[in-house]
C-alpha cells in the first residue's frame, strides 16, 4: 500500500470512497491539521463528499500540496534517514570554511605586500 499510494512519511492519511474504493485525497493529514474548529471540520468533510472520486489507477498522487513531494523535503528526508551522511556534510562543510579562511588570509597578506612595494 505504501508503494501504491507513494507514502513518504508516517503518519499519512489518504481518503478513499468507502463504497467504491476510489481515490479522493492524499493530502488529508494536512487538511485535517488545518481544520481547527468544528465548522472548518464540517467544511472539510463536505469538500471530500463533493470531490469526484477517481479510480486509484487514475489518481494523481503526491499533488496534494502537503510539501512531501517537494525537492527540499526529499533532500531533507534523504539526510535525516542517513545520519552518517549528515556528519559527513558537517565535516566537509567545516573543512571548506577553513579553506576559505586560509584563502582569504593569503589574499590579505598578498595585498599588504603589494601596498608596501608601492610605498
Amino acid at each position: 500500500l505504501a508503494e501504491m499510494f507513494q507514502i513518504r512519511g508516517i503518519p499519512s492519511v489518504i481518503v478513499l470512497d468507502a463504497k467504491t474504493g476510489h481515490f479522493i485525497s492524499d493530502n488529508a493529514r494536512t487538511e485535517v491539521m488545518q481544520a481547527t474548529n468544528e465548522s472548518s471540520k464540517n467544511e472539510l468533510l463536505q469538500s471530500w463528499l463533493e470531490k469526484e472520486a477517481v479510480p486509484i489507477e487514475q489518481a494523481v498522487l503526491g499533488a496534494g500540496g502537503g510539501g512531501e513531494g517537494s525537492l527540499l523535503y526529499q533532500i531533507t528526508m534523504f539526510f535525516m534517514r542517513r545520519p552518517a551522511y549528515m556528519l559527513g556534510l558537517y565535516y566537509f562543510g567545516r573543512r571548506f570554511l577553513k579553506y576559505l579562511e586560509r584563502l582569504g588570509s593569503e589574499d590579505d597578506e598578498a595585498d599588504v605586500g603589494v601596498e608596501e612595494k608601492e610605498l
Side-chain angles (χ1 to χ4, degrees):
L1 287 177
E3 190 174 307
M4 180 186 342
F5 290 112
Q6 299 178 4
I7 302 294
R8 292 184 187 89
I10 296 175
S12 288
V13 180
I14 295 175
V15 180
L16 302 174
D17 186 316
K19 293 178 184 174
T20 63
H22 289 171
F23 174 83
I24 295 175
S25 174
D26 66 342
N27 193 30
R29 179 176 184 260
T30 303
E31 294 169 341
V32 168
M33 297 296 286
Q34 291 174 347
T36 56
N37 57 39
E38 201 61 38
S39 66
S40 62
K41 291 175 186 176
N42 289 333
E43 290 173 10
L44 176 59
L45 287 174
Q46 192 61 38
S47 73
W48 287 341
L49 291 171
E50 293 171 356
K51 202 178 260 189
E52 181 181 349
V54 296
I56 294 171
E57 300 81 31
Q58 297 174 5
V60 178
L61 299 170
E68 293 181 358
S70 72
L71 180 62
L72 180 61
Y73 175 82
Q74 292 175 1
I75 291 170
T76 302
M77 291 309 296
F78 175 84
F79 286 106
M80 292 299 288
R81 290 184 183 122
R82 297 162 181 86
Y85 286 14
M86 290 176 59
L87 291 172
L89 278 176
Y90 175 76
Y91 172 78
F92 285 114
R94 299 253 324 189
R95 296 224 15 174
F96 182 69
L97 289 174
K98 286 182 181 179
Y99 171 75
L100 290 177
E101 258 181 49
R102 279 185 299 186
L103 195 62
S105 66
E106 290 173 2
D107 287 344
D108 290 343
E109 291 171 6
D111 290 343
V112 170
V114 170
E115 289 175 5
E116 289 176 357
K117 288 181 183 177
E118 289 176 358
L119 295 175

